[in-house]
Amino acid sequence: MNNSKETNTILNKILEILVKYQVGNEVKEMGEEADSLIKKAERQGEEATKKLQTTLDRIHDKLFTVNSVLIALYVGFAKFPEDNPLFSLWFVLFPVSNMFYLIYLEISQMSIFRHESQRMKWNFSTDVEKFGKMISRQTLKSILAWFITIILVLFLAFRMIF
């Protein structure tokens, strides 16, 4: 009988150890799964930021192209027709100013890239917030560039039609 009690005690201890081991493995697996989900979310966040910046670069390139055409059109219509031009030559300053603003946007974009390239040295309590503000401001500046370009196109169209 004593032998049976000892066997039961040993079996109960083995069972407790197995349960603890199984729980430990489940916790370990859950931790690994959580880590992989966190890494995936971080990777997706970085990809989204890169896509945003790439999209802004493409938009700026298109705005540069449209603005270059606008400068040519404004200069052309400042000379055409010879007897009564559609524009004064001074109106060319508007698309030229917009071109300088677009150059400023590119310089601002470079400073964002420069800041991001130092990510491993960031103070996460301040630099992450700073990076977010830089991107938000850049987005607003890009929207302003769009509006200015659209206004310049509409102004040109209005002057040509009327």
Side-chain angles (χ1 to χ4, degrees):
M1 201 66 159
N2 209 10
N3 201 9
S4 163
K5 260 185 169 181
E6 285 179 23
T7 305
N8 282 341
T9 306
I10 292 172
L11 286 176
N12 282 335
K13 286 183 180 180
I14 291 173
L15 184 61
E16 286 176 23
I17 291 170
L18 286 174
V19 167
K20 286 180 184 178
Y21 178 75
Q22 184 177 2
V23 168
N25 279 341
E26 289 176 5
V27 168
K28 182 180 175 184
E29 288 173 6
M30 290 172 60
E32 289 172 355
E33 186 177 330
D35 288 344
S36 71
L37 288 173
I38 289 170
K39 287 178 184 177
K40 181 179 178 183
E42 288 173 348
R43 195 170 49 249
Q44 287 174 339
E46 288 175 12
E47 288 175 12
T49 301
K50 287 177 185 176
K51 286 179 184 178
L52 172 69
Q53 291 172 348
T54 302
T55 302
L56 284 175
D57 284 341
R58 288 186 9 230
I59 289 171
H60 296 163
D61 290 343
K62 287 172 180 56
L63 288 176
F64 268 109
T65 302
V66 169
N67 207 58
S68 297
V69 170
L70 283 174
I71 290 171
L73 287 172
Y74 273 70
V75 169
F77 286 126
K79 299 292 182 180
F80 178 82
E82 283 183 39
D83 56 337
N84 187 19
L86 291 175
F87 294 115
S88 165
L89 198 52
W90 290 103
F91 281 107
V92 176
L93 290 178
F94 296 127
V96 169
S97 299
N98 195 35
M99 183 68 81
F100 284 120
Y101 181 70
L102 290 169
I103 292 169
Y104 162 74
L105 277 177
E106 290 299 313
I107 293 169
S108 178
Q109 189 72 21
M110 284 178 13
S111 71
I112 290 173
F113 290 144
R114 198 173 305 113
H115 181 71
E116 186 180 17
S117 72
Q118 301 296 317
R119 182 173 267 180
M120 296 306 290
K121 298 176 185 175
W122 279 6
N123 175 350
F124 282 97
S125 62
T126 58
D127 287 331
V128 172
E129 184 178 332
K130 179 181 176 183
F131 184 66
K133 286 180 182 178
M134 290 171 81
I135 290 177
S136 295
R137 282 190 217 121
Q138 185 72 1
T139 303
L140 292 174
K141 292 174 190 174
S142 295
I143 291 170
L144 178 62
W146 264 105
F147 283 130
I148 292 170
T149 304
I150 290 169
I151 289 169
L152 290 171
V153 168
L154 291 175
F155 180 71
L156 177 67
F158 181 77
R159 289 291 291 221
M160 288 175 55
I161 293 171
F162 300 106

